[in-house]
Amino acid sequence: MAIPQKQQLFWFLPTQGDGRYLGTSKGGRAVTLAYLQQLAIAVDNIGFHGVLVPTGKACEDPWVTAAALVSVTQKLRFLVAVRPGLQPPSLAARMAATLDRLSGGRVLINVVASGDPIENKGDGLFFDHQERYHMTKEFLEVYKPLMNGQQVNYQGDYIQVENAHLLYPPLQPSGPALYLGGSSAEAMEIAAEYVDTYLTWGEPLAEVAEKINQVKQHAADKGHCLEFGIRLHVIVRETEQEAIDEANKLIAHLDDDTIAQAQATFARMDSKGQARMQALHKGSRENLFIAPNLWAGIGLVRVGAGTALVGDPQQIVSRIKEYQAIGITKFILSGYPHLEEAHRFAELVMPLLETSTEILAATSTLNEQSKGEAIGAHSRPK
């Protein structure tokens, strides 16, 4: 496969906390609005394509966070989560369209169907893994036509709407691009039919390639084409040994009880992706390098993405290009602390990569669509 000429680089907003060491308050920092603004402005100025805004009980709300940061950034896209079952599709479509218009078309949507079953029940979501993905399919069958300006009537097993439509359309044609991650068969099948980008966590190259090929086959059967992205941490230093030392320092304050507590929490989850992350390190500090420059230490205590690229700039670039060669075009990266590591990555790695930095096209469509007050809260004036 020919290597694409350019990739899109994303960074991460650490709304669940930030610091220099995992599993301890030592070296931690408060994630305030001022800090998030500082980070968003820095990432925007550096030239990252966008930022992932995480979701879940341990995070600040992604929609409120993104809305608070839109006005202090200029080009930065915000990859924000919708949660089928927690958000009705019509409400999610209105929220996405509103933020898309107010941001000047800088919104991307991350469809999140999985999660911790205990946390889900606290949010009123009592469906098992298969049911959640069935509901996600129904959600998208309503959400996508709404974003395309259609009026929707739908009767499903979980979702029912009558005469649903958007009065205020999104700025981007057909709405913000849809992303979805997941390692289960259900996730792959939904991604292959409905979304624009399939996401994977950072696994060894052969395992990522296997998932990409499965999704591509499902997509071919549906007559659909999509892109692929990967979520990774990165620890880059001028030499490989410095990077390894920094990785070890990151988990230097972890004790066995903290690791065991985190692993017990992960084990109760029904996420196939989380199970694959745990299998990489098996809850042990031993043999954390699971592939060239791929280190699984973060997953000892962090839910979700638990691997990092660790090495000198040339090694990091080589690993990125290897993922790129199997079809990855979007790289969602992070590092601890996120502000400093964004700058470090920009200084050491980005000059060695050709990245996509296209500028958003100016448009007057937003102003034209917003003229006049809605008539009877039902229709737009002509």
Side-chain angles (χ1 to χ4, degrees), residues 10-13 15 50-56 60-70 76-84 87 92 95-100 103 105-113 139 143 147 172 176-180 199 332:
F10 292 70
W11 201 245
F12 181 83
L13 289 182
T15 62
V51 285
L52 172 62
V53 190
T55 186
E60 300 284 13
D61 181 78
W63 288 89
V64 175
T65 300
L69 299 176
V70 160
L76 195 67
R77 284 85 167 170
F78 293 86
L79 179 53
V80 187
V82 297
R83 301 292 300 270
Q87 294 166 291
M95 293 170 64
T98 297
L99 192 56
D100 193 47
S103 68
R106 292 189 284 131
V107 178
L108 306 166
I109 297 297
N110 185 24
V111 182
V112 178
F139 176 99
Y143 175 93
M147 282 299 196
Q172 298 178 74
L178 294 174
Y179 291 59
L180 185 143
L199 295 175
I332 303 175

Side-chain angles (χ1 to χ4, degrees), residues 25 64 106 111 135 172 190 200 244 265 303 309 349 368 377:
S25 60
V64 175
R106 292 189 284 131
V111 182
M135 179 173 54
Q172 298 178 74
I190 289 174
T200 177
I244 293 172
T265 298
V303 71
L309 296 178
V349 179
E368 293 299 319

Side-chain angles (χ1 to χ4, degrees), residues 188-207:
M188 293 182 187
E189 289 171 4
I190 289 174
E193 185 172 2
Y194 293 99
V195 308
D196 303 288
T197 298
Y198 171 77
L199 295 175
T200 177
W201 286 328
E203 300 178 15
L205 201 66
E207 296 175 26

Side-chain angles (χ1 to χ4, degrees), residues 82-375:
V82 297
R83 301 292 300 270
L86 300 183
Q87 294 166 291
S90 300
L91 174 61
R94 288 199 295 274
M95 293 170 64
T98 297
L99 192 56
D100 193 47
R101 290 192 307 275
L102 298 184
S103 68
R106 292 189 284 131
V107 178
L108 306 166
I109 297 297
N110 185 24
V111 182
V112 178
S114 193
D116 180 355
I118 303 300
E119 180 179 330
N120 286 340
K121 290 176 182 178
D123 288 332
L125 192 61
F126 288 82
F127 302 121
D128 64 24
H129 182 275
Q130 188 171 3
E131 289 173 319
R132 291 199 308 273
Y133 278 98
H134 187 166
M135 179 173 54
T136 297
K137 182 176 185 291
E138 293 186 358
F139 176 99
L140 291 171
E141 288 177 347
V142 174
Y143 175 93
K144 292 192 71 174
L146 288 174
M147 282 299 196
N148 278 296
Q150 300 176 36
Q151 182 167 295
V152 181
N153 291 283
Y154 187 88
Q155 176 69 57
D157 294 325
Y158 301 95
I159 292 173
Q160 177 181 357
V161 298
E162 293 183 4
N163 300 322
H165 65 285
L166 290 179
L167 290 184
Y168 302 94
L171 185 59
Q172 298 178 74
S174 299
L178 294 174
Y179 291 59
L180 185 143
S183 297
S184 66
E186 295 89 345
M188 293 182 187
E189 289 171 4
I190 289 174
E193 185 172 2
Y194 293 99
V195 308
D196 303 288
T197 298
Y198 171 77
L199 295 175
T200 177
W201 286 328
E203 300 178 15
L205 201 66
E207 296 175 26
V208 173
E210 182 181 7
K211 287 201 288 187
I212 287 176
N213 289 334
Q214 290 179 28
V215 175
K216 281 184 175 179
Q217 184 58 59
H218 288 308
D221 294 341
K222 301 291 184 180
H224 182 55
C225 183
L226 74 168
E227 294 186 69
F228 298 90
I230 193 167
R231 171 78 179 96
L232 284 159
H233 305 276
V234 62
I235 302 173
V236 61
R237 294 296 184 268
E238 293 185 6
T239 69
E240 181 181 17
Q241 188 58 53
E242 287 177 308
I244 293 172
D245 292 343
E246 192 64 33
N248 290 329
K249 187 186 299 183
L250 185 62
I251 61 172
H253 297 281
L254 280 182
D255 56 53
D256 291 342
D257 288 343
T258 302
I259 294 173
Q261 179 182 353
Q263 294 301 308
T265 298
F266 303 158
R268 76 189 186 198
M269 298 180 182
D270 58 8
S271 164
K272 299 295 190 294
Q274 186 62 56
R276 290 169 71 110
M277 283 285 102
Q278 284 184 273
L280 296 177
H281 53 69
K282 301 179 178 63
S284 170
R285 299 170 186 266
E286 304 297 324
N287 303 316
L288 289 174
F289 277 96
I290 55 175
N293 304 109
L294 187 63
W295 183 73
I298 294 174
L300 291 173
V301 292
R302 187 194 190 280
V303 71
T307 54
L309 296 178
V310 178
D312 64 38
Q314 290 291 349
Q315 290 172 321
I316 300 300
V317 169
S318 294
R319 303 291 84 79
I320 287 175
K321 288 185 175 180
E322 287 172 354
Y323 283 117
Q324 197 178 0
I326 61 171
I328 300 291
T329 59
K330 303 173 191 292
F331 293 81
I332 303 175
L333 307 170
S334 59
Y336 297 92
H338 289 72
L339 179 61
E340 290 90 326
E341 292 304 306
H343 281 288
R344 196 184 304 273
F345 183 85
E347 293 164 4
L348 296 179
V349 179
M350 287 176 73
L352 306 179
L353 293 170
E354 293 184 19
T355 60
S356 175
T357 56
E358 69 275 12
I359 305 299
L360 292 173
T363 177
S364 62
T365 307
L366 172 60
N367 292 333
E368 293 299 319
Q369 290 171 345
S370 301
K371 286 183 177 178
E373 184 177 349
I375 300 171

